[in-house]
Each structure stands twice: as structure tokens, then as C-alpha cells.
Amino acid sequence: MVARQKKEENIVEYVLYMWQIEDLLRACGADMDIVKKRIVTQYSQPEDVMEEIHQWYASLCKMMRDEGVTEKGHIKIISDVVAELQELHGKLLKTPNEQVYEGLYYQALPDIVQLRAKSGGEAMSEIETCLTGVYGFLLLMMQGKEITPETSDAIHRITTMLSFLASKYHANINVSDN
């Protein structure tokens, strides 16, 4: 499945993809009958794969209902990944031989500060702020809204930092798996 592949290959893309899935499920009221009709039936897969897809969406809907995030917010398994990324972010900034990441961070920092100022006072970690900014940018693109060159430049700096963070995350996961 797409989510599994993204989680293995690029943890940042995984988080953004899962946020999109959460929004899609919200649009269906986290109602599995609607999800099946509007989403699951659109897949053209063998019966066993269709059942796996159905179960995956059903489990996500249940998590959203159980965790009270059918209106807004994120399910715990995704919030936990964001927290892991924030923890790694902090570690990288404290590691003397991580000058590349530190440089990317300081290039993106004014953009992060600006995003935080626009967040309406919502308390978010720096990494969640970055992810929220990128997600918002992607939504604007999908809606065909005009994007200023300044916004594109800011998102480029943030995604460059997040890409580096994702590669470090996967390198750490692979090291701890051995």
C-alpha cells in the first residue's frame, strides 16, 4: 500500500500523506459506509487486496473516532512520528558534526517563525509547524490558488530541511534495525 511504502522510503511524505487521508476520511464523516462507497470501490485490485484496503481505512476511521479527531487533529500514530521527527531535529541541532542540517535549519528558521506567527497561536513544535506549512502549500497547489514567489521560496527552504531530516530519520531507523 502507498502509506507503507511512503513510511519506508520518506517519513515526511508519509506524514503528509496520512494527513491527507485523515482529511479525506473527515470529508466522509469517518463513516465506513461512505468511505467504502467513495474511496475503497475506486481501487481496482484483487479481492484479498481490496479487503486489506477496506480494513486499513476501517481501522483509521475507528482510530479517528476513538481519539476524537474526526473534526481536526491527528491520530496518535501520526502524532508520534511527528514527535520522533521533532526529537531527531533537536538531537541534530545539538550534534557538533551536523553543520549541514544546522545550516539548513538556520536558512529555514525565519520561515518557521513566520509560519508560527500565522498559526493563530496554536502551540506546535518546529517540525509540526514546518509540516503544517508544507501541507497548506500542497492544498493551495491542488486548489489551483496563486502562490507567491516568496511563499515558494520559503517552502523550498523548509522542504530542503525536512528532506535532510527524513534521510537522517531513515538512516537512524536502519542503524537501529541492525
Side-chain angles (χ1 to χ4, degrees):
M1 287 183 57
V2 174
R4 190 177 315 132
Q5 183 179 353
K6 286 189 179 298
K7 189 174 184 181
E8 291 170 4
E9 294 175 3
N10 187 317
I11 198 67
V12 168
E13 287 182 13
Y14 168 72
V15 171
L16 295 171
Y17 176 76
M18 291 303 295
W19 284 3
Q20 182 181 23
I21 295 297
E22 287 174 331
D23 281 346
L24 192 58
L25 296 177
R26 281 187 189 102
C28 295
D31 180 322
M32 209 38 220
D33 291 334
I34 297 169
V35 170
K36 183 176 182 179
K37 181 178 169 185
R38 292 188 182 161
I39 301 170
V40 177
T41 57
Q42 303 304 310
Y43 290 91
S44 178
Q45 296 293 321
E47 192 174 321
D48 61 323
V49 175
M50 290 297 286
E51 180 58 28
E52 182 183 351
I53 291 167
H54 181 273
Q55 290 304 317
W56 184 72
Y57 279 110
S59 69
L60 289 175
C61 285
K62 182 178 181 342
M63 279 185 242
M64 288 177 72
R65 286 189 306 274
D66 291 351
E67 296 174 24
V69 294
T70 56
E71 297 293 320
K72 68 176 195 163
H74 304 291
I75 55 177
K76 186 175 182 335
I77 60 171
I78 305 306
S79 295
D80 288 348
V81 171
V82 174
E84 288 174 23
L85 288 168
Q86 178 63 39
E87 184 179 336
L88 178 58
H89 166 72
K91 286 180 183 175
L92 291 173
L93 291 176
K94 292 177 184 170
T95 304
N97 63 345
E98 289 294 345
Q99 296 95 350
V100 172
Y101 185 73
E102 185 177 22
L104 294 172
Y105 169 69
Y106 283 114
Q107 286 175 3
L109 185 57
D111 307 311
I112 297 168
V113 170
Q114 194 170 30
L115 279 171
R116 274 196 162 157
K118 291 179 180 178
S119 73
E122 193 174 335
M124 285 188 258
S125 70
E126 285 185 318
I127 296 305
E128 186 173 2
T129 299
C130 292
L131 290 165
T132 301
V134 172
Y135 187 71
F137 176 80
L138 294 172
L139 289 176
L140 289 174
M141 285 181 48
M142 286 190 285
Q143 294 167 358
K145 301 266 172 92
E146 187 175 332
I147 298 168
T148 66
E150 295 81 16
T151 299
S152 291
D153 291 346
I155 293 300
H156 176 73
R157 287 185 291 272
I158 289 170
T159 56
T160 301
M161 183 193 83
L162 288 174
S163 293
F164 195 90
L165 181 64
S167 69
K168 289 292 186 177
Y169 176 91
H170 288 288
N172 284 346
I173 294 295
N174 291 335
V175 166
S176 64
D177 287 348
N178 292 332

